[in-house]
């Protein structure tokens, strides 16, 4: 048990990018006195350019392996840290909190956990490059610069979006998009992105961009509402005018500060029982 306020932030990246996507947030949070960890998914601890050249490690990635790896990182921190995740990193953050980890969680433009059935047209269009061919379930699937502009950076100019794609974009495991975007709600029983929405856990804030195409506000709102019977704090906020690239687009500092301020204010310093102990 810890009665001390968290001094560490663990930043969990999403699909189609790497920990490089947090490169502005690390010094920003360090300047506020926090220790910052940006764990890569297994095999992602190389540069963006290397993953583009050999994307097989992306195609072979599994959620259980990633989740176990992230949990091992979180568990090395003496005082339960704040966990923040963007996009699919948001779903992974929810899964980590469901394990009883973390003092507080913030998910930004989060991918949904199992049971969220809202699929707005813009989300389907954004994911269509991966969903258009069932064979993509076995491949690493990337966005063209034009597809990336629609899905991630739709509030930026074409030139600004191209610069983001050049520096950060990689492929994503196609089977993740199919399994957790299509099949998770159709298969019987609990799948790998299921959480017990009624259980106790660390406080959790959803931040959703009003202009996000790939993970629109309706998806995040529905995800947050699934926790309505949990005794833990769950809050939802919508960020006006912000797209899926909200952690890197102009004005990202306000997003980062809101996330950290909320987490520090609500951080839980008593111990949350793990599911096995509850």
């Amino acid at each position: 048990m810890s009665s001390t306020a968290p001094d560490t932030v663990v930043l969990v990246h999403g699909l189609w990018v790497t920990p490089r996507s947090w490169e502005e947030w690390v010094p920003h949070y360090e300047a506020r006195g926090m220790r910052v960890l940006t764990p890569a998914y297994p095999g992602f601890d190389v540069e963006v350019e290397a993953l583009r050249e050999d994307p097989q490690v992306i195609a072979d990635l599994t959620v259980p392996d990633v989740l176990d790896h992230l949990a091992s990182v979180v568990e090395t921190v003496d005082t339960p840290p704040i966990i923040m995740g963007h996009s699919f990193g948001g779903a992974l953050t929810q899964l980590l909190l469901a394990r009883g980890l973390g003092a507080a969680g913030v998910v930004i433009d989060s991918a949904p956990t199992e049971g969220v059935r809202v699929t707005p047209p813009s989300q389907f269009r954004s994911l269509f490059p991966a969903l258009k061919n069932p064979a993509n379930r076995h491949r690493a699937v990337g966005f063209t610069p034009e597809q990336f502009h629609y899905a991630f950076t739709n509030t930026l100019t074409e030139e600004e979006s191209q610069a983001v794609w050049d520096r950060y974009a990689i492929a994503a495991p196609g089977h993740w998009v199919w399994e957790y975007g299509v099949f998770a709600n159709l298969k019987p029983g609990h799948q790998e992105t299921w959480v017990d929405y009624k259980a106790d856990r660390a406080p959790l804030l959803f931040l959703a961009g009003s202009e996000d195409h790939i993970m629109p506000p309706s998806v995040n709102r529905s995800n947050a509402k699934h926790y309505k019977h949990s005794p833990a704090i769950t809050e939802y906020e919508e960020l006006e005018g912000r797209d899926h690239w909200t952690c890197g687009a102009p004005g990202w500092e306000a997003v980062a500060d809101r996330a950290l301020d909320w987490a520090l204010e609500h951080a839980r310093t008593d111990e949350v029982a793990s599911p096995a102990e509850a």
Side-chain angles (χ1 to χ4, degrees):
M1 179 184 295
S2 169
S3 59
T4 307
D7 59 3
T8 301
V9 181
V10 179
L11 300 174
V12 183
H13 67 87
L15 299 184
W16 287 286
V17 295
T18 72
R20 184 187 284 183
S21 61
W22 296 116
E23 62 183 345
E24 302 287 356
W25 285 48
V26 174
H28 187 76
Y29 279 168
E30 288 176 341
R32 291 192 55 176
M34 304 298 292
R35 176 188 180 214
V36 186
L37 303 178
T38 57
Y41 297 171
F44 279 47
D45 47 356
V46 295
E47 294 297 336
V48 166
E49 294 74 15
L51 288 169
R52 288 175 179 167
E53 287 185 12
D54 182 11
Q56 190 58 44
V57 67
I58 300 173
D60 295 340
L61 203 63
T62 71
V63 165
D65 285 348
V66 173
L67 189 60
D68 287 345
H69 172 67
L70 295 174
S72 72
V73 172
V74 172
E75 287 167 343
T76 65
V77 182
D78 291 337
T79 301
I82 294 164
I83 307 174
M84 298 184 188
H86 174 249
S87 195
F88 206 95
L92 293 167
T93 296
Q94 294 180 61
L95 294 169
L96 290 169
L97 264 56
R99 289 190 178 193
L101 299 173
V106 180
V107 296
I108 305 162
D109 300 331
S110 183
T113 43
E114 185 181 334
V116 178
R117 297 177 181 274
V118 176
T119 308
S122 72
Q123 185 179 51
F124 182 78
R125 178 179 168 183
S126 296
L127 298 176
F128 186 70
L131 296 175
K132 66 181 179 182
N133 184 350
N136 285 339
R137 294 176 64 187
H138 309 290
R139 299 169 177 161
V141 184
F143 287 131
T144 65
E146 293 75 21
Q147 292 164 344
F148 187 85
H149 193 193
Y150 179 81
F152 266 68
T153 51
N154 46 293
T155 67
L156 303 184
T157 67
E158 184 177 338
E159 292 74 20
E160 291 168 337
S161 178
Q162 180 69 53
V164 175
W165 188 94
D166 289 343
R167 179 148 181 80
Y168 300 103
I170 62 168
H175 71 276
W176 286 35
V177 179
W178 277 87
E179 289 298 323
Y180 311 118
V182 178
F183 293 136
N185 290 326
L186 302 177
K187 292 180 177 178
H190 300 318
Q191 308 302 310
E192 293 160 345
T193 57
W194 177 83
V195 300
D196 182 354
Y197 291 109
K198 297 180 180 178
D200 197 10
R201 51 151 174 75
L204 173 62
L205 171 65
F206 284 78
L207 292 177
S210 69
E211 305 307 312
D212 189 342
H213 279 170
I214 193 168
M215 294 298 162
S218 57
V219 174
N220 280 260
R221 260 196 316 272
S222 177
N223 198 160
K225 286 179 179 178
H226 275 64
Y227 289 107
K228 62 183 179 182
H229 296 302
S230 170
I233 296 171
T234 307
E235 293 186 7
Y236 168 88
E237 292 183 15
E238 200 161 305
L239 305 175
E240 191 64 33
R242 303 202 65 83
D243 62 17
H244 200 63
W245 190 242
T246 191
C247 298
W252 63 265
E253 297 91 338
V255 180
D257 286 339
R258 177 56 187 150
L260 184 57
D261 289 344
W262 187 94
L264 290 172
E265 178 183 355
H266 294 87
R268 186 169 179 172
T269 55
D270 62 328
E271 189 172 29
V272 179
S274 67
E277 298 169 333

